[in-house]
Amino acid sequence: MTNPASIADTDHNALADLLMNNGLDNPSDDIDDLTFDDSNYATLTDALEQTVFESFDDGLYIGMMSGTSLDGMDAVLCQFNPEMNNEDNTQPPMQLLATYSQDFPPRLREVLLALCQPNGVNQLVPEANEPNSELDWFGWASREYAEFASEVVNTLLQQSNTDPESVLAIGCHGQTVRHRPQMGFTLQLVDANIIAERTGISVVSDFRRRDMAVGGQGAPLVPAFHQALFANPDSTRVLLNLGGIANITVLPANEKDQVVGYDTGPANLLLDAWTSLHTDNSYDAGGAWAQSGTIIELLLQQLLAHPFFAQSHPKSTGREDFNLAWLQDELQVFEQANADIIYSAVDVQTTLTELTAISASTQINMFVSTSKNSSVYVCGGGALNEYLMTRLQAHLPHCTVKITEHLGLAPTWVEAVAFAWLARQTLMGETGNLPAVTGANKGVVLGQVCFA
């Protein structure tokens, strides 16, 4: 989209086409009402704020999420209340209309996991017509991820009997395969062009890099959504997302206080990897396996010595810092220093669960320990880990620990809804980041739009 200094030079027919392609069925009246001079609309953006953007306020949106744990792709169909930020509004801020989740195709998951590690594709054995270099594998996975995401969207639409034309946009985060905030870049893998073509719906993607362009970490991005949907003037609420990585959002009761949010450390990423390595299961259902073991205290202290835990926020992390290879190296160091300690695989799982609970609760206690009215609401796959939830409550004596179901949104769908909301923010020209959370020097409109 061009952005001339004045709308006076904008071609009338071109703008009509633009409006038609962006959801206005009868744009002619809107255009005729515009006086194309600098006194009324100084820029094209000013004009669009009165036309295109307002039409994206209350339509249907699809949000998609595949997290660090790579356990599958979640998709939601939802509708937001245009008055969701109005204090006098009594309507629910969001309606979750339909959901769908699907496991990754095994080969795609294998390649994505390999791409998450530097030179990890060197361990792949190419099949017929498959790539043999890291960059080619990236292109292959971008295409396959987009084709798979398109299938997920079309299934969601079919099962919910929803016309694609009624959906304003898809918010698709893509798959993070490299996150290096200290180097000023992050890399999400997805070809939004394919999704737009296969579904007939505009796609918003590449949410993180604009925040990085203004000095931010590019993560976490969901706190702005948490604030819009869950903030309460009567109590401090902490949202704890237990995905592959754990992250928190602190929503203070006092609106004058800043929202705080950042990653606290590993969660399902290590728990799932260790479970898959030592059992026939891909994850520790309910934390039952971990609950049967014993915490290895010296190992726990060694793992907590990772420099990430001592960093001040804003901060973010991922597979680059915490992965199975890192854990195995730590175990080797531990065994060399503690040859007299005998432990089993299940004891390691118990210790990893405690690592997640302690690293998250230590940060949360910094914000709620002196508050008499505060609660922690957990979302993400880890919310279904009953043993982990028990350990969190044990380390958070000053507040109650619940799942986000108590706030009206099931824990498994929160992040997908967040990216539907972020897509809406983008189309409306509204900021999607919180500078106090990411460390950015200003709020910016996130994402790139691939129009259908």
Side-chain angles (χ1 to χ4, degrees):
M1 181 186 297
T2 58
N3 189 17
S6 171
I7 199 170
D9 297 327
T10 303
D11 180 79
H12 187 281
N13 293 330
L15 185 57
D17 291 340
L18 174 65
L19 297 176
M20 181 67 76
N21 289 334
N22 286 278
L24 292 183
D25 294 332
N26 297 296
S28 56
D29 293 338
D30 297 79
I31 298 174
D32 291 339
D33 289 341
L34 294 176
T35 302
F36 295 110
D37 60 49
D38 292 346
S39 62
N40 287 310
Y41 295 106
T43 67
L44 178 59
T45 299
D46 292 338
L48 292 177
E49 286 178 352
Q50 306 302 319
T51 54
V52 177
F53 287 159
E54 67 178 5
S55 71
F56 291 124
D57 201 17
D58 60 352
L60 302 182
Y61 287 86
I62 288 175
M64 308 191 75
M65 187 60 190
S66 59
T68 312
S69 59
L70 275 167
D71 51 357
M73 186 175 292
D74 299 328
V76 297
L77 176 69
C78 49
Q79 184 167 21
F80 298 96
N81 182 352
E83 303 297 324
M84 64 185 299
N85 295 322
N86 186 340
E87 293 183 1
D88 298 328
N89 178 48
T90 59
Q91 299 297 317
M94 185 273 304
Q95 288 182 288
L96 185 60
L97 305 176
T99 63
Y100 180 69
S101 183
Q102 187 170 328
D103 292 342
F104 276 105
R107 185 58 168 172
L108 176 57
R109 184 176 191 273
E110 181 183 12
V111 174
L112 290 174
L113 286 170
L115 285 167
C116 286
Q117 300 300 319
N119 304 313
V121 297
N122 292 341
Q123 306 303 316
L124 294 173
V125 178
E127 299 175 0
N129 300 318
E130 285 189 336
N132 55 15
S133 72
E134 187 168 53
L135 190 57
D136 289 342
W137 273 118
F138 183 90
W140 179 94
S142 295
R143 186 193 71 238
E144 291 298 317
Y145 183 100
E147 296 285 5
F148 175 59
S150 302
E151 293 176 10
V152 170
V153 168
N154 287 329
T155 301
L156 175 70
L157 294 172
Q158 183 179 15
Q159 292 187 354
S160 61
N161 195 28
T162 303
D163 187 342
E165 293 184 358
S166 66
V167 180
L168 294 177
I170 299 167
C172 185
H173 169 262
Q175 187 62 47
T176 300
V177 293
R178 198 77 83 248
H179 184 65
R180 300 291 196 193
Q182 69 276 15
M183 298 175 64
F185 84 89
T186 186
L187 195 57
Q188 281 71 48
L189 177 155
V190 64
D191 188 339
N193 300 277
I194 289 177
I195 302 176
E197 192 64 31
R198 302 290 186 267
T199 64
I201 303 171
S202 297
V203 179
V204 186
S205 61
D206 194 13
F207 290 94
R208 300 190 186 278
R209 291 194 296 173
R210 185 61 184 273
D211 179 80
M212 282 191 160
V214 290
Q217 294 257 328
L221 296 181
V222 292
F225 165 72
H226 289 160
Q227 181 184 38
L229 201 68
F230 298 130
N232 187 300
D234 299 323
S235 65
T236 295
R237 289 176 171 177
V238 178
L239 275 294
L240 170 60
N241 176 55
L242 294 174
I245 295 295
N247 52 70
I248 61 170
T249 302
V250 182
L251 303 172
N254 188 344
E255 293 183 356
K256 296 181 180 179
D257 294 336
Q258 287 185 326
V259 174
V260 176
Y262 53 93
D263 291 349
T264 62
N268 297 331
L269 188 159
L270 292 179
L271 296 176
D272 292 353
W274 191 254
T275 299
S276 297
L277 187 64
H278 291 279
T279 74
D280 294 329
N281 303 312
S282 59
Y283 65 98
D284 185 9
W289 189 44
Q291 191 169 9
S292 67
T294 302
I295 297 171
I296 311 168
E297 291 291 348
L298 290 178
L299 176 61
L300 177 62
Q301 296 308 313
Q302 178 183 319
L303 298 179
L304 285 169
H306 190 293
F308 174 80
F309 298 120
Q311 292 177 21
S312 58
H313 62 83
K315 60 179 181 177
S316 55
T317 188
R319 285 186 180 273
E320 298 82 6
D321 294 322
F322 299 101
N323 51 66
L324 186 58
W326 167 79
L327 175 59
Q328 290 171 326
D329 288 343
E330 290 292 322
L331 287 172
Q332 186 175 8
V333 172
F334 175 76
E335 290 171 359
Q336 291 173 350
N338 302 276
D340 58 322
I341 296 180
I342 299 175
Y343 66 90
S344 63
V346 67
D347 296 332
V348 175
Q349 184 74 3
T350 309
T351 305
L352 291 175
T353 304
E354 194 72 2
L355 175 68
T356 297
I358 286 183
S359 56
S361 61
T362 297
Q363 299 302 309
I364 294 171
N365 277 322
M366 292 170 55
F367 302 97
V368 303
S369 60
T370 59
S371 175
K372 296 181 179 179
N373 188 15
S374 56
S375 301
V376 175
Y377 293 93
V378 184
C379 59
L384 306 180
N385 187 322
E386 297 174 6
Y387 176 62
L388 176 54
M389 292 287 288
T390 299
R391 297 309 301 155
L392 283 166
Q393 184 65 81
H395 293 294
L396 294 166
H398 300 284
C399 55
T400 57
V401 179
K402 305 176 182 178
I403 61 174
T404 53
E405 191 86 52
H406 292 272
L407 297 178
L409 184 56
T412 50
W413 305 115
V414 173
E415 283 204 297
V417 174
F419 280 94
W421 180 84
L422 284 167
R424 176 178 179 264
Q425 291 294 102
T426 301
L427 293 189
M428 291 178 64
E430 300 288 344
T431 59
N433 64 332
L434 290 177
V437 169
T438 66
N441 57 47
K442 64 178 180 178
V444 288
V445 179
L446 304 177
Q448 298 188 36
V449 185
C450 183
F451 290 104

